[in-house]
Amino acid sequence: MTDFVREGRLFRVTGFHPSHRQLTLASEATLVDRTTTRIEVWIGQVELMFLKPYYRNGLHIRRATEAEFGVLSERHGIQAQDAAYTWMLEPDGDSFVVGGNPSWREAEYALMGERESLYDGPWPPDFPAESGNVY
């Protein structure tokens, strides 16, 4: 299992497209946290989500543990077959998403040029970037 961990960064929900069931979160390069990269997280096939608008201490996206899923299933009526698709967004938080495997992309903000999103345009881009998936 590969978690996505980016501590100490401000992430915000940047969009949810209900017709396509797609959620996006992003962290901008800021002087406040001395970062120079933009990070974007994309989750598709979203069935259910419980989110905060901002994650001030970063994200830690991982599959819900059996105990966490048990609580979420009881509270929200999540079916047992969705356990493999229930993602926690914080190490000890209540935020979660039931959806497809999250993916992420990261690149130096200064190199992105006119590009507004790492998920727009061709991939890989013509500048250095990293990407991955959470399993």
Side-chain angles (χ1 to χ4, degrees):
M1 177 185 320
T2 304
D3 293 358
F4 173 82
V5 181
R6 293 296 187 282
E7 296 174 341
R9 290 191 66 137
L10 173 66
F11 278 84
R12 65 185 174 90
V13 174
T14 54
F16 177 69
H17 305 284
S19 61
H20 296 339
R21 298 174 23 213
Q22 298 173 344
L23 170 67
T24 55
L25 301 105
S27 177
E28 304 290 341
T30 65
L31 292 175
V32 173
D33 58 15
R34 297 185 179 113
T35 57
T36 60
T37 61
R38 176 177 171 89
I39 304 171
E40 297 175 24
V41 175
W42 179 90
I43 304 173
Q45 303 168 336
V46 174
E47 292 288 328
L48 179 67
M49 58 186 167
F50 186 81
L51 305 173
K52 297 176 183 176
Y54 297 97
Y55 294 88
R56 298 188 192 289
N57 296 314
L59 289 177
H60 182 162
I61 302 175
R62 60 183 174 75
R63 195 178 313 270
T65 65
E66 188 176 328
E68 289 168 329
F69 181 77
V71 171
L72 296 175
S73 178
E74 185 175 312
R75 270 191 206 158
H76 303 286
I78 305 170
Q79 300 297 311
Q81 66 266 22
D82 289 329
Y85 305 102
T86 302
W87 308 99
M88 305 305 289
L89 301 182
E90 305 171 277
D92 299 319
D94 290 326
S95 295
F96 70 93
V97 176
V98 178
N101 291 70
S103 66
W104 59 271
R105 294 180 177 178
E106 182 173 8
E108 288 291 328
Y109 182 76
L111 300 178
M112 289 178 58
E114 298 293 317
R115 195 169 181 169
E116 292 183 23
S117 171
L118 294 168
Y119 281 91
D120 293 340
W123 191 262
D126 58 357
F127 50 86
E130 295 182 42
S131 65
N133 294 297
V134 182
Y135 295 102

